[in-house]
Amino acid sequence: MAKLRNTLSPQIKTLSVFFSLLAATFPSLSSATSATDAFVYGGCSQQKYSPASAYESNLNSLLTSLVNSATYSSYNNFTIMGSSSSDTARGLFQCRGDLSMPDCATCVARAVSQVSPLCPSTCGGALQLSGCYIKYDNITFLGQEDKTVVLKKCGPSEGYNTDGIGRRDAVLTGLLNGGGYFRAGGSGDVQGMGQCVGDLTVSECQDCLGTAIGRLKSDCGTAVFGDMFLAKCYARYSTDGGQYNAKSHKYKTNYGGERTFAIIIGLLAAVVLLIIFLLFLRGVCSRGGK
């Protein structure tokens, strides 16, 4: 194996490094494929912190606390105090209510590992995977209700089907009346799910879910599936003809940033193919000149 590595050209070595950096920068391409690890949305604040700053140290402590706490709890929040408000790191994690503790811990650890390349050196970041959610910032957000629409996704329409719409609405009504922070139910081929972040009060949770469910009905109409993620809660439904789609798509965060991961991934793939093609041409020209 040593001889094989020594015969690699500098161009191939460079390409190998490029692939390594690509995998490290976008881990969701290779690893976020399970039912709990699938990427849903993410966002970052505009404010950045300086390397080796007090806030970076406090943020690292906060993220470690999130990962450790997820081994025995499905929700928790932490505040790592700094000498000033801007140096204070605040954060939380929330696992989907039907996850086991091992799956919760694995999901939160995965989310923490992915948020750093997603939000390099930013004071605030949020990442929603299919099975868990994490958020951190140096501004106060814990215990504050926020019904900002973070992500809306509606599937293709199945046309106006009175029975199908009736079952969908019945499931969503059941979620609204279900009580608790995590709610799930179904009727026939329709399944629904809703959850609030644990820092809301019971009445705030009910209000948030009411808004999310109302937006699902009005915005997604006759779609075979729908996702409505607000900043502090979400509601989703799916039929046998559709499914929760957590792959790359446009998202808008409450930080005001709008990105399209599908476009980014496509551009990166095009760059990789171009590099391979140029290396191939160079090899052909080199052999032809000898």
Side-chain angles (χ1 to χ4, degrees), residues 91-161:
L92 60 78
F93 76 90
Q94 170 100 42
C95 285
R96 204 174 67 210
D98 60 346
L99 292 193
S100 66
M101 286 301 9
D103 286 342
C104 175
T106 299
C107 186
V108 172
R110 184 67 55 83
V112 168
S113 71
Q114 291 188 22
V115 78
S116 294
L118 178 68
C119 302
S121 301
T122 63
C123 293
L127 179 60
Q128 175 77 59
L129 302 183
S130 183
C132 62
Y133 170 73
I134 65 169
K135 181 176 179 179
Y136 61 87
D137 213 324
N138 64 347
I139 62 174
T140 301
F141 68 91
L142 297 172
Q144 297 181 349
E145 186 178 9
D146 186 351
K147 296 186 289 184
T148 304
V149 176
V150 180
L151 168 70
K152 177 186 75 174
K153 188 169 183 64
C154 303
S157 174
E158 63 176 352
Y160 192 80
N161 181 325

Side-chain angles (χ1 to χ4, degrees), residues 35 96-99 128 130-131 171-172 174-176 181-186 190-196 209 212-213 216 226-229 233-238 244:
R96 204 174 67 210
D98 60 346
L99 292 193
Q128 175 77 59
S130 183
V171 168
L172 293 179
L175 295 181
L176 184 60
Y181 284 77
F182 174 75
R183 311 173 187 187
V190 183
Q191 301 295 316
M193 181 187 303
Q195 187 166 17
C196 297
L209 282 176
I213 289 171
L216 267 183
D227 297 343
M228 188 64 64
F229 284 82
C233 70
Y234 68 82
R236 317 176 78 177
Y237 75 88
S238 175
Y244 296 137

Side-chain angles (χ1 to χ4, degrees), residues 16-31 110-120 261 268:
S16 298
V17 171
F18 179 82
F19 275 116
S20 298
L21 290 174
L22 179 63
T25 305
F26 294 95
S28 59
L29 293 180
S30 57
S31 58
R110 184 67 55 83
V112 168
S113 71
Q114 291 188 22
V115 78
S116 294
L118 178 68
C119 302
F261 266 75
L268 288 172

Side-chain angles (χ1 to χ4, degrees), residues 15 42 61-62 64 68 117 159 231-232 244 258 262 274 280:
L15 187 60
S61 297
L62 171 71
T64 299
N68 291 340
K232 285 295 182 77
Y244 296 137
E258 189 169 321
L274 178 61
F280 173 76

Side-chain angles (χ1 to χ4, degrees), residues 158-236:
E158 63 176 352
Y160 192 80
N161 181 325
T162 303
D163 291 338
I165 296 299
R167 287 193 299 273
R168 191 276 310 271
D169 288 350
V171 168
L172 293 179
T173 299
L175 295 181
L176 184 60
N177 298 331
Y181 284 77
F182 174 75
R183 311 173 187 187
S187 174
D189 61 347
V190 183
Q191 301 295 316
M193 181 187 303
Q195 187 166 17
C196 297
V197 178
D199 64 335
L200 296 184
T201 65
V202 173
S203 61
E204 288 172 341
C205 174
Q206 188 68 17
D207 181 51
C208 189
L209 282 176
T211 300
I213 289 171
R215 289 292 303 268
L216 267 183
K217 290 181 179 180
S218 62
D219 292 12
C220 289
T222 59
V224 296
F225 70 84
D227 297 343
M228 188 64 64
F229 284 82
L230 308 186
K232 285 295 182 77
C233 70
Y234 68 82
R236 317 176 78 177

